[in-house]
Amino acid sequence: MSIPTLNAVGFCAHYSKQGDWAFDYALELSRRHGIRLNVFHFLTDPYDPASPPPTGLSTKALSELVVQKERELRMYYDDRAGEYLDVGFRLCEDTSWTELHRCLVKREFQVLVLGYVAPDATFAWKPIEEFAESFVCPVVLVGPHDPGEFHINATAELIKGKLGLPEGTWERIGLVAH
């Protein structure tokens, strides 16, 4: 079996302690492999199934909103990234599922890191564990109770050595802990 090369890590921004833990892990993974970290943020919050898309905005108002949200994103995560410069930012206007698949096809990441904000959390209108297990690339959920707690999908388990997850810190989504 061939193990895919990691050229970039994808991280979906979430302004929470679990989101911060996930960013820290994604940044460390990027540093360890000397690869790009791509930070994605969505106008419609993929963690909130009730988050309405911005509708009824003029083209100018939507452009201003995008600029404002991208500025907030960069200010928040630039500071957290410190001296690591290989970090890209993308504010996505499309739905999270569609956009993440598009970015995966474009090879903008080979592993996706998400903050696991709560056991009953949703992502892209699905339970977060169901999203992670059904997504086509390795997914690492960080949290929900501790920054050293990781939940991985079946695809991530295949590359767990590259993910740098010590035994006893991770469990396979839907299975018992290892």
Side-chain angles (χ1 to χ4, degrees):
M1 170 180 72
S2 68
I3 305 243
T5 301
L6 295 182
N7 298 316
V9 174
F11 165 71
C12 289
H14 191 262
Y15 302 116
S16 65
K17 70 180 177 184
Q18 292 87 355
D20 289 349
W21 297 341
F23 178 81
D24 292 344
Y25 168 72
L27 179 63
E28 175 55 34
L29 184 60
S30 297
R31 281 184 175 141
R32 185 177 327 115
H33 290 283
I35 58 177
R36 184 169 186 82
L37 172 58
N38 287 314
V39 178
F40 300 96
H41 191 60
F42 296 89
L43 287 179
T44 302
D45 184 357
Y47 284 91
D48 182 359
S51 176
T55 57
L57 297 176
S58 69
T59 303
K60 181 181 179 192
L62 182 59
S63 293
E64 289 172 355
L65 177 64
V66 167
V67 168
Q68 172 198 344
K69 294 292 185 183
E70 187 169 343
R71 184 179 303 123
E72 290 171 7
L73 179 70
R74 287 177 181 272
M75 289 178 67
Y76 189 82
Y77 289 106
D78 265 346
D79 187 47
R80 294 190 67 82
E83 294 182 20
Y84 194 73
L85 300 177
D86 200 2
V87 180
F89 297 93
R90 176 185 284 184
L91 186 67
C92 306
E93 297 177 49
D94 205 344
T95 65
S96 49
W97 182 265
T98 303
E99 189 66 25
L100 288 173
H101 273 280
R102 185 178 300 130
C103 293
L104 180 63
V105 169
K106 292 180 181 179
R107 310 270 312 147
E108 292 185 37
F109 62 89
Q110 290 74 47
V111 61
L112 180 63
V113 178
L114 302 172
Y116 190 12
V117 297
D120 61 347
T122 60
F123 189 88
W125 302 279
K126 292 181 172 185
I128 195 167
E129 288 186 350
E130 183 181 320
F131 170 85
E133 191 56 36
S134 67
F135 202 63
V136 296
C137 81
V139 177
V140 178
L141 304 177
V142 182
H145 307 292
D146 184 88
E149 179 183 7
F150 304 95
H151 304 266
I152 62 175
N153 67 358
T155 312
E157 188 171 16
L158 296 173
I159 64 163
K160 65 184 177 199
K162 287 189 174 195
L163 297 176
L165 302 174
E167 288 298 322
T169 64
W170 64 273
E171 72 177 38
R172 168 83 159 67
I173 294 169
L175 300 177
V176 294
H178 292 304

